[in-house]
């Protein structure tokens, strides 16, 4: 019983440390949106300023290595990426990184990924406001 309590305390401590360390990875002004997929996976869409352009990072993490995904990223309504990605070790995730021109007004980015093995769908949007 005592070892279970110790393991639980260590896990909780690691989660708290990890949870507080994640925001430090984001720069001031970054836009980060994340959510759950239709299955076990999670998605994240991060927008950052990069020399007057917008760096877009769309990531899907399903904790399973080797699955193929069909991925699309849109900037406003324009398709700016369409391709396949495969989840990789050690985390069972993939990401797509793009640099996009900062258009007049708000820039709306949407990421969508479909697992070709299971049909799981991940998707979300983030808005870059200037």
């Amino acid at each position: 019983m005592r070892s279970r309590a110790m393991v639980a305390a260590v896990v909780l401590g690691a989660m708290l440390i990890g949870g507080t360390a994640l925001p430090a990875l984001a720069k001031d002004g970054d836009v980060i949106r994340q959510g759950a997929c239709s299955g076990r996976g999670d998605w994240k869409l991060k927008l950052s300023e990069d020399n007057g352009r917008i760096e877009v990072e769309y990531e899907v993490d399903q904790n399973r290595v080797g699955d193929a995904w069909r991925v699309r990223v849109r900037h406003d309504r324009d398709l700016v990426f369409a391709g396949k990605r495969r989840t990789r070790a050690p985390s069972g995730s993939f990401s797509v990184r793009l640099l996009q021109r900062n258009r007049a007004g708000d820039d709306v980015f949407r990421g969508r990924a479909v697992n070709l093995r299971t049909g799981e769908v991940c998707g979300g949007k983030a808005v870059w406001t200037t």
Side-chain angles (χ1 to χ4, degrees), residues 75-117:
H75 182 179
D76 294 329
R77 295 186 185 264
D78 299 329
L79 184 64
V80 293
F81 178 86
K84 291 184 182 172
R85 290 289 187 263
R86 188 169 295 277
T87 54
R88 297 181 181 254
S91 64
S93 66
F94 70 83
S95 64
V96 173
R97 289 186 177 92
L98 308 164
L99 280 177
Q100 291 292 298
R101 183 175 55 84
N102 189 350
R103 300 174 179 176
D106 291 349
D107 294 84
V108 178
F109 292 90
R110 295 179 190 274
R112 179 176 164 88
V114 178
N115 184 309
L116 298 178
R117 180 180 62 84

